[in-house]
Amino acid sequence: MAMIRKRTAKNGTVTYQAVVRLKGRDALSQTFPSHDLARRWSRNQEIDLAEGKHLAADRARKHTLAAAIRKYRDEVLPAKRTAGSED
C-alpha cells in the first residue's frame, strides 16, 4: 500500500514523499515536486512489486562488503604482480 506525505521545507518549498510498503519487504520511497508524480511512481512500484520485478534488488542486498573483499583477495590479488605487498 502506498502512502504520500506532503513535506514543507524551511524555505517554503513543498515536496511529496511517496512510500510503498509490502509485508515482508523493505519500504521503497522517493520524493517528488508534485503529488501527481508521487502517485504515479507509487502506482508503478506497486505493479512492479506484484509482478516480482524487485526480487533482484532483494537478492543484491544479501551481499556484504566483507564477502566482496574476500572474493577480491582470493580471486583478483593472486593474478596481480604485487600480490604479496597488498596483503
Side-chain angles (χ1 to χ4, degrees), residues 3-37:
M3 173 177 53
I4 299 175
R5 294 182 192 145
K6 182 179 179 181
R7 304 177 80 183
T8 306
K10 289 181 182 179
N11 65 3
T13 305
V14 176
T15 58
Y16 297 87
Q17 181 185 33
V19 180
V20 178
R21 296 174 192 247
L22 190 63
K23 189 174 183 177
R25 299 252 179 138
D26 291 338
L28 302 171
S29 67
Q30 193 157 341
T31 304
F32 298 91
S34 73
H35 188 273
D36 187 51
L37 289 173

PDB file of all heavy atoms in Angstrom, residues 3-37:
ATOM      1  N   MET A   3       1.733   5.331   0.492  1.00  0.00           N
ATOM      2  CA  MET A   3       1.388   6.470   1.325  1.00  0.00           C
ATOM      3  C   MET A   3       2.148   7.670   0.759  1.00  0.00           C
ATOM      4  O   MET A   3       3.324   7.558   0.407  1.00  0.00           O
ATOM      5  CB  MET A   3       1.821   6.205   2.764  1.00  0.00           C
ATOM      6  CG  MET A   3       1.656   7.375   3.680  1.00  0.00           C
ATOM      7  SD  MET A   3       2.100   7.041   5.402  1.00  0.00           S
ATOM      8  CE  MET A   3       3.738   6.389   5.251  1.00  0.00           C
ATOM      9  N   ILE A   4       1.487   8.799   0.665  1.00  0.00           N
ATOM     10  CA  ILE A   4       2.133  10.006   0.143  1.00  0.00           C
ATOM     11  C   ILE A   4       2.063  11.081   1.227  1.00  0.00           C
ATOM     12  O   ILE A   4       0.984  11.411   1.713  1.00  0.00           O
ATOM     13  CB  ILE A   4       1.471  10.479  -1.159  1.00  0.00           C
ATOM     14  CG1 ILE A   4       1.610   9.392  -2.214  1.00  0.00           C
ATOM     15  CG2 ILE A   4       2.096  11.786  -1.626  1.00  0.00           C
ATOM     16  CD1 ILE A   4       0.899   9.671  -3.503  1.00  0.00           C
ATOM     17  N   ARG A   5       3.246  11.596   1.584  1.00  0.00           N
ATOM     18  CA  ARG A   5       3.348  12.624   2.618  1.00  0.00           C
ATOM     19  C   ARG A   5       3.713  13.961   1.985  1.00  0.00           C
ATOM     20  O   ARG A   5       4.615  14.038   1.167  1.00  0.00           O
ATOM     21  CB  ARG A   5       4.464  12.286   3.604  1.00  0.00           C
ATOM     22  CG  ARG A   5       4.235  11.081   4.411  1.00  0.00           C
ATOM     23  CD  ARG A   5       5.401  10.910   5.367  1.00  0.00           C
ATOM     24  NE  ARG A   5       5.339   9.599   5.970  1.00  0.00           N
ATOM     25  CZ  ARG A   5       6.390   8.871   6.288  1.00  0.00           C
ATOM     26  NH1 ARG A   5       7.603   9.329   6.070  1.00  0.00           N
ATOM     27  NH2 ARG A   5       6.245   7.695   6.828  1.00  0.00           N
ATOM     28  N   LYS A   6       3.026  14.995   2.416  1.00  0.00           N
ATOM     29  CA  LYS A   6       3.368  16.344   1.976  1.00  0.00           C
ATOM     30  C   LYS A   6       4.445  16.856   2.926  1.00  0.00           C
ATOM     31  O   LYS A   6       4.302  16.789   4.144  1.00  0.00           O
ATOM     32  CB  LYS A   6       2.143  17.242   2.037  1.00  0.00           C
ATOM     33  CG  LYS A   6       2.404  18.646   1.556  1.00  0.00           C
ATOM     34  CD  LYS A   6       1.116  19.455   1.619  1.00  0.00           C
ATOM     35  CE  LYS A   6       1.363  20.881   1.162  1.00  0.00           C
ATOM     36  NZ  LYS A   6       0.131  21.679   1.230  1.00  0.00           N
ATOM     37  N   ARG A   7       5.546  17.358   2.351  1.00  0.00           N
ATOM     38  CA  ARG A   7       6.650  17.860   3.159  1.00  0.00           C
ATOM     39  C   ARG A   7       6.938  19.299   2.758  1.00  0.00           C
ATOM     40  O   ARG A   7       7.038  19.609   1.582  1.00  0.00           O
ATOM     41  CB  ARG A   7       7.882  16.994   2.952  1.00  0.00           C
ATOM     42  CG  ARG A   7       7.598  15.523   3.267  1.00  0.00           C
ATOM     43  CD  ARG A   7       8.780  14.675   3.002  1.00  0.00           C
ATOM     44  NE  ARG A   7       9.676  14.828   4.149  1.00  0.00           N
ATOM     45  CZ  ARG A   7      10.866  14.256   4.222  1.00  0.00           C
ATOM     46  NH1 ARG A   7      11.320  13.544   3.229  1.00  0.00           N
ATOM     47  NH2 ARG A   7      11.606  14.423   5.284  1.00  0.00           N
ATOM     48  N   THR A   8       7.065  20.153   3.755  1.00  0.00           N
ATOM     49  CA  THR A   8       7.360  21.556   3.507  1.00  0.00           C
ATOM     50  C   THR A   8       8.714  21.885   4.123  1.00  0.00           C
ATOM     51  O   THR A   8       8.912  21.706   5.326  1.00  0.00           O
ATOM     52  CB  THR A   8       6.273  22.463   4.116  1.00  0.00           C
ATOM     53  OG1 THR A   8       5.002  22.045   3.614  1.00  0.00           O
ATOM     54  CG2 THR A   8       6.507  23.912   3.759  1.00  0.00           C
ATOM     55  N   ALA A   9       9.637  22.373   3.310  1.00  0.00           N
ATOM     56  CA  ALA A   9      10.970  22.740   3.786  1.00  0.00           C
ATOM     57  C   ALA A   9      10.909  24.084   4.493  1.00  0.00           C
ATOM     58  O   ALA A   9       9.917  24.816   4.401  1.00  0.00           O
ATOM     59  CB  ALA A   9      11.939  22.800   2.609  1.00  0.00           C
ATOM     60  N   LYS A  10      11.992  24.425   5.192  1.00  0.00           N
ATOM     61  CA  LYS A  10      12.049  25.705   5.906  1.00  0.00           C
ATOM     62  C   LYS A  10      11.914  26.899   4.971  1.00  0.00           C
ATOM     63  O   LYS A  10      11.413  27.940   5.362  1.00  0.00           O
ATOM     64  CB  LYS A  10      13.361  25.806   6.681  1.00  0.00           C
ATOM     65  CG  LYS A  10      13.421  24.877   7.861  1.00  0.00           C
ATOM     66  CD  LYS A  10      14.727  25.026   8.601  1.00  0.00           C
ATOM     67  CE  LYS A  10      14.777  24.043   9.753  1.00  0.00           C
ATOM     68  NZ  LYS A  10      16.055  24.130  10.492  1.00  0.00           N
ATOM     69  N   ASN A  11      12.360  26.716   3.728  1.00  0.00           N
ATOM     70  CA  ASN A  11      12.262  27.828   2.772  1.00  0.00           C
ATOM     71  C   ASN A  11      10.897  27.896   2.090  1.00  0.00           C
ATOM     72  O   ASN A  11      10.678  28.698   1.202  1.00  0.00           O
ATOM     73  CB  ASN A  11      13.373  27.744   1.726  1.00  0.00           C
ATOM     74  CG  ASN A  11      13.262  26.519   0.842  1.00  0.00           C
ATOM     75  OD1 ASN A  11      12.318  25.727   0.963  1.00  0.00           O
ATOM     76  ND2 ASN A  11      14.222  26.350  -0.044  1.00  0.00           N
ATOM     77  N   GLY A  12       9.968  27.015   2.471  1.00  0.00           N
ATOM     78  CA  GLY A  12       8.617  27.032   1.926  1.00  0.00           C
ATOM     79  C   GLY A  12       8.386  26.098   0.753  1.00  0.00           C
ATOM     80  O   GLY A  12       7.273  25.973   0.270  1.00  0.00           O
ATOM     81  N   THR A  13       9.433  25.429   0.279  1.00  0.00           N
ATOM     82  CA  THR A  13       9.298  24.509  -0.841  1.00  0.00           C
ATOM     83  C   THR A  13       8.484  23.289  -0.412  1.00  0.00           C
ATOM     84  O   THR A  13       8.753  22.688   0.619  1.00  0.00           O
ATOM     85  CB  THR A  13      10.682  24.040  -1.321  1.00  0.00           C
ATOM     86  OG1 THR A  13      11.474  25.179  -1.625  1.00  0.00           O
ATOM     87  CG2 THR A  13      10.563  23.157  -2.553  1.00  0.00           C
ATOM     88  N   VAL A  14       7.507  22.932  -1.231  1.00  0.00           N
ATOM     89  CA  VAL A  14       6.662  21.779  -0.932  1.00  0.00           C
ATOM     90  C   VAL A  14       7.072  20.615  -1.824  1.00  0.00           C
ATOM     91  O   VAL A  14       7.216  20.766  -3.037  1.00  0.00           O
ATOM     92  CB  VAL A  14       5.170  22.109  -1.157  1.00  0.00           C
ATOM     93  CG1 VAL A  14       4.296  20.883  -0.953  1.00  0.00           C
ATOM     94  CG2 VAL A  14       4.741  23.232  -0.238  1.00  0.00           C
ATOM     95  N   THR A  15       7.293  19.451  -1.205  1.00  0.00           N
ATOM     96  CA  THR A  15       7.572  18.220  -1.940  1.00  0.00           C
ATOM     97  C   THR A  15       6.662  17.124  -1.399  1.00  0.00           C
ATOM     98  O   THR A  15       6.061  17.280  -0.330  1.00  0.00           O
ATOM     99  CB  THR A  15       9.047  17.789  -1.794  1.00  0.00           C
ATOM    100  OG1 THR A  15       9.352  17.611  -0.417  1.00  0.00           O
ATOM    101  CG2 THR A  15       9.990  18.796  -2.428  1.00  0.00           C
ATOM    102  N   TYR A  16       6.593  16.048  -2.133  1.00  0.00           N
ATOM    103  CA  TYR A  16       5.745  14.927  -1.747  1.00  0.00           C
ATOM    104  C   TYR A  16       6.594  13.660  -1.730  1.00  0.00           C
ATOM    105  O   TYR A  16       7.246  13.331  -2.715  1.00  0.00           O
ATOM    106  CB  TYR A  16       4.581  14.777  -2.731  1.00  0.00           C
ATOM    107  CG  TYR A  16       3.680  15.974  -2.719  1.00  0.00           C
ATOM    108  CD1 TYR A  16       3.952  17.076  -3.518  1.00  0.00           C
ATOM    109  CD2 TYR A  16       2.584  16.028  -1.873  1.00  0.00           C
ATOM    110  CE1 TYR A  16       3.147  18.200  -3.492  1.00  0.00           C
ATOM    111  CE2 TYR A  16       1.766  17.156  -1.841  1.00  0.00           C
ATOM    112  CZ  TYR A  16       2.061  18.225  -2.647  1.00  0.00           C
ATOM    113  OH  TYR A  16       1.258  19.328  -2.611  1.00  0.00           O
ATOM    114  N   GLN A  17       6.578  12.977  -0.595  1.00  0.00           N
ATOM    115  CA  GLN A  17       7.333  11.742  -0.454  1.00  0.00           C
ATOM    116  C   GLN A  17       6.375  10.565  -0.584  1.00  0.00           C
ATOM    117  O   GLN A  17       5.428  10.436   0.187  1.00  0.00           O
ATOM    118  CB  GLN A  17       8.048  11.676   0.891  1.00  0.00           C
ATOM    119  CG  GLN A  17       8.858  10.403   1.051  1.00  0.00           C
ATOM    120  CD  GLN A  17       9.463  10.281   2.430  1.00  0.00           C
ATOM    121  OE1 GLN A  17       8.881  10.717   3.409  1.00  0.00           O
ATOM    122  NE2 GLN A  17      10.633   9.688   2.485  1.00  0.00           N
ATOM    123  N   ALA A  18       6.644   9.703  -1.566  1.00  0.00           N
ATOM    124  CA  ALA A  18       5.846   8.504  -1.762  1.00  0.00           C
ATOM    125  C   ALA A  18       6.574   7.335  -1.108  1.00  0.00           C
ATOM    126  O   ALA A  18       7.768   7.144  -1.312  1.00  0.00           O
ATOM    127  CB  ALA A  18       5.653   8.230  -3.251  1.00  0.00           C
ATOM    128  N   VAL A  19       5.832   6.568  -0.301  1.00  0.00           N
ATOM    129  CA  VAL A  19       6.396   5.403   0.379  1.00  0.00           C
ATOM    130  C   VAL A  19       5.513   4.210   0.030  1.00  0.00           C
ATOM    131  O   VAL A  19       4.300   4.240   0.236  1.00  0.00           O
ATOM    132  CB  VAL A  19       6.441   5.607   1.908  1.00  0.00           C
ATOM    133  CG1 VAL A  19       7.019   4.379   2.589  1.00  0.00           C
ATOM    134  CG2 VAL A  19       7.227   6.847   2.266  1.00  0.00           C
ATOM    135  N   VAL A  20       6.145   3.160  -0.495  1.00  0.00           N
ATOM    136  CA  VAL A  20       5.427   1.937  -0.852  1.00  0.00           C
ATOM    137  C   VAL A  20       5.948   0.826   0.043  1.00  0.00           C
ATOM    138  O   VAL A  20       7.152   0.577   0.114  1.00  0.00           O
ATOM    139  CB  VAL A  20       5.635   1.572  -2.341  1.00  0.00           C
ATOM    140  CG1 VAL A  20       4.920   0.279  -2.675  1.00  0.00           C
ATOM    141  CG2 VAL A  20       5.153   2.695  -3.228  1.00  0.00           C
ATOM    142  N   ARG A  21       5.042   0.179   0.739  1.00  0.00           N
ATOM    143  CA  ARG A  21       5.417  -0.923   1.634  1.00  0.00           C
ATOM    144  C   ARG A  21       4.630  -2.165   1.266  1.00  0.00           C
ATOM    145  O   ARG A  21       3.458  -2.101   0.952  1.00  0.00           O
ATOM    146  CB  ARG A  21       5.106  -0.573   3.085  1.00  0.00           C
ATOM    147  CG  ARG A  21       5.899   0.577   3.598  1.00  0.00           C
ATOM    148  CD  ARG A  21       5.429   0.960   4.986  1.00  0.00           C
ATOM    149  NE  ARG A  21       6.008   2.236   5.332  1.00  0.00           N
ATOM    150  CZ  ARG A  21       6.896   2.403   6.292  1.00  0.00           C
ATOM    151  NH1 ARG A  21       7.267   1.396   7.025  1.00  0.00           N
ATOM    152  NH2 ARG A  21       7.387   3.584   6.539  1.00  0.00           N
ATOM    153  N   LEU A  22       5.314  -3.286   1.365  1.00  0.00           N
ATOM    154  CA  LEU A  22       4.674  -4.574   1.151  1.00  0.00           C
ATOM    155  C   LEU A  22       5.168  -5.485   2.258  1.00  0.00           C
ATOM    156  O   LEU A  22       6.374  -5.505   2.559  1.00  0.00           O
ATOM    157  CB  LEU A  22       5.045  -5.137  -0.223  1.00  0.00           C
ATOM    158  CG  LEU A  22       4.283  -6.362  -0.684  1.00  0.00           C
ATOM    159  CD1 LEU A  22       2.799  -6.034  -0.835  1.00  0.00           C
ATOM    160  CD2 LEU A  22       4.814  -6.841  -2.019  1.00  0.00           C
ATOM    161  N   LYS A  23       4.278  -6.211   2.875  1.00  0.00           N
ATOM    162  CA  LYS A  23       4.633  -7.054   4.013  1.00  0.00           C
ATOM    163  C   LYS A  23       5.790  -7.988   3.659  1.00  0.00           C
ATOM    164  O   LYS A  23       5.789  -8.636   2.618  1.00  0.00           O
ATOM    165  CB  LYS A  23       3.421  -7.874   4.443  1.00  0.00           C
ATOM    166  CG  LYS A  23       3.629  -8.614   5.731  1.00  0.00           C
ATOM    167  CD  LYS A  23       2.359  -9.286   6.186  1.00  0.00           C
ATOM    168  CE  LYS A  23       2.583  -9.965   7.513  1.00  0.00           C
ATOM    169  NZ  LYS A  23       1.353 -10.562   8.006  1.00  0.00           N
ATOM    170  N   GLY A  24       6.799  -7.998   4.513  1.00  0.00           N
ATOM    171  CA  GLY A  24       7.953  -8.859   4.311  1.00  0.00           C
ATOM    172  C   GLY A  24       9.029  -8.266   3.422  1.00  0.00           C
ATOM    173  O   GLY A  24      10.013  -8.917   3.114  1.00  0.00           O
ATOM    174  N   ARG A  25       8.883  -7.029   3.024  1.00  0.00           N
ATOM    175  CA  ARG A  25       9.843  -6.357   2.130  1.00  0.00           C
ATOM    176  C   ARG A  25      10.265  -5.032   2.725  1.00  0.00           C
ATOM    177  O   ARG A  25       9.567  -4.459   3.556  1.00  0.00           O
ATOM    178  CB  ARG A  25       9.188  -6.071   0.779  1.00  0.00           C
ATOM    179  CG  ARG A  25       8.739  -7.286   0.048  1.00  0.00           C
ATOM    180  CD  ARG A  25       9.661  -7.467  -1.082  1.00  0.00           C
ATOM    181  NE  ARG A  25       9.298  -8.647  -1.832  1.00  0.00           N
ATOM    182  CZ  ARG A  25       9.297  -8.669  -3.122  1.00  0.00           C
ATOM    183  NH1 ARG A  25       9.585  -7.600  -3.797  1.00  0.00           N
ATOM    184  NH2 ARG A  25       9.020  -9.781  -3.745  1.00  0.00           N
ATOM    185  N   ASP A  26      11.392  -4.520   2.256  1.00  0.00           N
ATOM    186  CA  ASP A  26      11.822  -3.182   2.650  1.00  0.00           C
ATOM    187  C   ASP A  26      10.919  -2.152   1.974  1.00  0.00           C
ATOM    188  O   ASP A  26      10.418  -2.384   0.873  1.00  0.00           O
ATOM    189  CB  ASP A  26      13.266  -2.923   2.215  1.00  0.00           C
ATOM    190  CG  ASP A  26      14.265  -3.756   2.983  1.00  0.00           C
ATOM    191  OD1 ASP A  26      13.929  -4.211   4.093  1.00  0.00           O
ATOM    192  OD2 ASP A  26      15.378  -3.957   2.469  1.00  0.00           O
ATOM    193  N   ALA A  27      10.740  -1.035   2.636  1.00  0.00           N
ATOM    194  CA  ALA A  27       9.937   0.043   2.058  1.00  0.00           C
ATOM    195  C   ALA A  27      10.719   0.724   0.943  1.00  0.00           C
ATOM    196  O   ALA A  27      11.935   0.859   1.000  1.00  0.00           O
ATOM    197  CB  ALA A  27       9.570   1.053   3.127  1.00  0.00           C
ATOM    198  N   LEU A  28      10.015   1.142  -0.091  1.00  0.00           N
ATOM    199  CA  LEU A  28      10.597   1.911  -1.188  1.00  0.00           C
ATOM    200  C   LEU A  28      10.074   3.332  -1.053  1.00  0.00           C
ATOM    201  O   LEU A  28       8.898   3.539  -0.785  1.00  0.00           O
ATOM    202  CB  LEU A  28      10.156   1.343  -2.536  1.00  0.00           C
ATOM    203  CG  LEU A  28      10.487  -0.113  -2.818  1.00  0.00           C
ATOM    204  CD1 LEU A  28       9.780  -0.562  -4.085  1.00  0.00           C
ATOM    205  CD2 LEU A  28      11.975  -0.290  -2.951  1.00  0.00           C
ATOM    206  N   SER A  29      10.949   4.320  -1.223  1.00  0.00           N
ATOM    207  CA  SER A  29      10.471   5.699  -1.120  1.00  0.00           C
ATOM    208  C   SER A  29      11.232   6.598  -2.079  1.00  0.00           C
ATOM    209  O   SER A  29      12.379   6.326  -2.439  1.00  0.00           O
ATOM    210  CB  SER A  29      10.618   6.225   0.304  1.00  0.00           C
ATOM    211  OG  SER A  29      11.972   6.343   0.653  1.00  0.00           O
ATOM    212  N   GLN A  30      10.571   7.671  -2.462  1.00  0.00           N
ATOM    213  CA  GLN A  30      11.169   8.671  -3.328  1.00  0.00           C
ATOM    214  C   GLN A  30      10.392   9.972  -3.152  1.00  0.00           C
ATOM    215  O   GLN A  30       9.210   9.959  -2.838  1.00  0.00           O
ATOM    216  CB  GLN A  30      11.136   8.227  -4.790  1.00  0.00           C
ATOM    217  CG  GLN A  30      12.006   9.088  -5.660  1.00  0.00           C
ATOM    218  CD  GLN A  30      12.437   8.367  -6.925  1.00  0.00           C
ATOM    219  OE1 GLN A  30      12.392   7.161  -7.000  1.00  0.00           O
ATOM    220  NE2 GLN A  30      12.843   9.126  -7.902  1.00  0.00           N
ATOM    221  N   THR A  31      11.075  11.091  -3.373  1.00  0.00           N
ATOM    222  CA  THR A  31      10.467  12.404  -3.190  1.00  0.00           C
ATOM    223  C   THR A  31      10.253  13.079  -4.547  1.00  0.00           C
ATOM    224  O   THR A  31      11.105  12.996  -5.421  1.00  0.00           O
ATOM    225  CB  THR A  31      11.366  13.281  -2.303  1.00  0.00           C
ATOM    226  OG1 THR A  31      11.580  12.596  -1.074  1.00  0.00           O
ATOM    227  CG2 THR A  31      10.726  14.622  -2.025  1.00  0.00           C
ATOM    228  N   PHE A  32       9.104  13.763  -4.679  1.00  0.00           N
ATOM    229  CA  PHE A  32       8.715  14.378  -5.946  1.00  0.00           C
ATOM    230  C   PHE A  32       8.237  15.805  -5.725  1.00  0.00           C
ATOM    231  O   PHE A  32       7.747  16.146  -4.652  1.00  0.00           O
ATOM    232  CB  PHE A  32       7.578  13.571  -6.589  1.00  0.00           C
ATOM    233  CG  PHE A  32       7.971  12.158  -6.916  1.00  0.00           C
ATOM    234  CD1 PHE A  32       7.777  11.153  -5.993  1.00  0.00           C
ATOM    235  CD2 PHE A  32       8.559  11.860  -8.125  1.00  0.00           C
ATOM    236  CE1 PHE A  32       8.151   9.852  -6.278  1.00  0.00           C
ATOM    237  CE2 PHE A  32       8.932  10.565  -8.423  1.00  0.00           C
ATOM    238  CZ  PHE A  32       8.735   9.559  -7.500  1.00  0.00           C
ATOM    239  N   PRO A  33       8.315  16.631  -6.771  1.00  0.00           N
ATOM    240  CA  PRO A  33       7.851  18.016  -6.642  1.00  0.00           C
ATOM    241  C   PRO A  33       6.328  18.157  -6.713  1.00  0.00           C
ATOM    242  O   PRO A  33       5.800  19.195  -6.340  1.00  0.00           O
ATOM    243  CB  PRO A  33       8.508  18.726  -7.820  1.00  0.00           C
ATOM    244  CG  PRO A  33       8.773  17.652  -8.818  1.00  0.00           C
ATOM    245  CD  PRO A  33       9.016  16.407  -8.026  1.00  0.00           C
ATOM    246  N   SER A  34       5.621  17.121  -7.178  1.00  0.00           N
ATOM    247  CA  SER A  34       4.166  17.226  -7.253  1.00  0.00           C
ATOM    248  C   SER A  34       3.507  15.940  -6.754  1.00  0.00           C
ATOM    249  O   SER A  34       4.085  14.858  -6.804  1.00  0.00           O
ATOM    250  CB  SER A  34       3.702  17.497  -8.689  1.00  0.00           C
ATOM    251  OG  SER A  34       3.838  16.345  -9.480  1.00  0.00           O
ATOM    252  N   HIS A  35       2.282  16.106  -6.277  1.00  0.00           N
ATOM    253  CA  HIS A  35       1.518  14.967  -5.758  1.00  0.00           C
ATOM    254  C   HIS A  35       1.229  13.960  -6.873  1.00  0.00           C
ATOM    255  O   HIS A  35       1.269  12.748  -6.659  1.00  0.00           O
ATOM    256  CB  HIS A  35       0.218  15.469  -5.124  1.00  0.00           C
ATOM    257  CG  HIS A  35      -0.533  14.409  -4.406  1.00  0.00           C
ATOM    258  ND1 HIS A  35      -1.433  13.577  -5.019  1.00  0.00           N
ATOM    259  CD2 HIS A  35      -0.499  14.031  -3.110  1.00  0.00           C
ATOM    260  CE1 HIS A  35      -1.932  12.742  -4.142  1.00  0.00           C
ATOM    261  NE2 HIS A  35      -1.380  12.999  -2.966  1.00  0.00           N
ATOM    262  N   ASP A  36       0.943  14.462  -8.047  1.00  0.00           N
ATOM    263  CA  ASP A  36       0.616  13.583  -9.176  1.00  0.00           C
ATOM    264  C   ASP A  36       1.791  12.674  -9.539  1.00  0.00           C
ATOM    265  O   ASP A  36       1.600  11.483  -9.773  1.00  0.00           O
ATOM    266  CB  ASP A  36       0.193  14.413 -10.383  1.00  0.00           C
ATOM    267  CG  ASP A  36      -0.322  13.549 -11.514  1.00  0.00           C
ATOM    268  OD1 ASP A  36      -1.213  12.707 -11.257  1.00  0.00           O
ATOM    269  OD2 ASP A  36       0.174  13.705 -12.639  1.00  0.00           O
ATOM    270  N   LEU A  37       3.004  13.235  -9.577  1.00  0.00           N
ATOM    271  CA  LEU A  37       4.184  12.422  -9.878  1.00  0.00           C
ATOM    272  C   LEU A  37       4.408  11.362  -8.806  1.00  0.00           C
ATOM    273  O   LEU A  37       4.755  10.216  -9.109  1.00  0.00           O
ATOM    274  CB  LEU A  37       5.425  13.296 -10.011  1.00  0.00           C
ATOM    275  CG  LEU A  37       5.505  14.180 -11.245  1.00  0.00           C
ATOM    276  CD1 LEU A  37       6.692  15.117 -11.149  1.00  0.00           C
ATOM    277  CD2 LEU A  37       5.589  13.338 -12.501  1.00  0.00           C
TER     278      LEU A  37
END
